[in-house]
Amino acid sequence: MLRDDIKTATITAMKAGDKERTAALRLIGAKIKDRDIEARTGKAPDNDDDLVTEVLQKMAKQRRESITMYVDGGREELADQERRELAVIEEFLPQMMSEEDTKAAIADVKASIGADSIKDMGRVMGELKARHGAVLDMSLASRLVKESF
């Protein structure tokens, strides 16, 4: 399980004395625990790996946005810190679908639900997320769905 892999990596990083990696892995663990607490009151994914992947994707997105803001603001040292954290987070994320695979999935979903106009974009995106949520870059998918109409 992904959660166990993260715990094992944290222990390994602590034993190796890698403080930056340990800090990033502890941050991941804390976010997962926060999500566990949220899941007690709301609807949680059926699969634990889906929950962990969801947390990791959100963290990765936040890091990418922060990197852009830091670079634009001339704070390269902070951007480098975010890049290092992003590298650790991405180690545990599943391989994302390529652009070609994403286009094929969009065509399949559009055909199966009968989407023929931009008004159906929400239904297409919802079905894409249901079918391929863990391995689909939703921002890329959104752009490609818009282009496909």
Side-chain angles (χ1 to χ4, degrees):
M1 280 177 50
L2 201 48
R3 186 184 298 254
D4 296 333
D5 293 344
I6 293 169
K7 287 180 184 176
T8 303
T10 304
I11 293 168
T12 304
M14 286 190 305
K15 287 181 179 178
D18 188 347
K19 291 182 181 184
E20 279 189 10
R21 183 171 171 78
T22 302
L25 289 165
R26 284 182 171 164
L27 184 62
I28 292 169
K31 290 290 185 183
I32 292 170
K33 285 180 184 177
D34 287 346
R35 183 65 174 93
D36 288 341
I37 292 168
E38 288 175 23
R40 290 182 199 160
T41 59
K43 182 177 182 275
D46 297 333
N47 184 349
D48 186 56
D49 279 353
D50 289 345
L51 182 137
V52 174
T53 301
E54 193 177 289
V55 169
L56 291 172
Q57 286 174 332
K58 186 174 184 177
M59 290 179 73
K61 180 180 178 188
Q62 289 170 340
R63 296 303 174 286
R64 288 184 195 104
E65 290 170 355
S66 295
I67 290 168
T68 302
M69 289 188 336
Y70 288 143
V71 169
D72 290 347
R75 301 292 309 265
E76 198 59 43
E77 70 283 356
L78 294 174
D80 288 340
Q81 172 64 30
E82 294 290 325
R83 285 185 191 105
R84 288 190 294 272
E85 286 182 11
L86 180 60
V88 173
I89 292 166
E90 287 178 338
E91 287 177 32
F92 299 99
L93 281 171
Q95 182 65 37
M96 301 306 264
M97 290 174 69
S98 67
E99 188 168 336
E100 294 78 29
D101 292 340
T102 303
K103 286 179 181 179
I106 290 168
D108 182 46
V109 168
K110 282 175 63 177
S112 68
I113 66 172
D116 57 0
S117 73
I118 195 73
K119 292 179 182 179
D120 297 320
M121 183 175 171
R123 289 181 32 225
V124 171
M125 292 300 294
E127 187 65 24
L128 279 171
K129 186 167 184 165
R131 291 185 190 182
H132 309 287
V135 295
L136 183 67
D137 180 352
M138 293 306 284
S139 59
L140 172 66
S142 176
R143 181 178 56 84
L144 292 174
V145 168
K146 284 179 188 171
E147 290 173 2
S148 72
F149 285 114

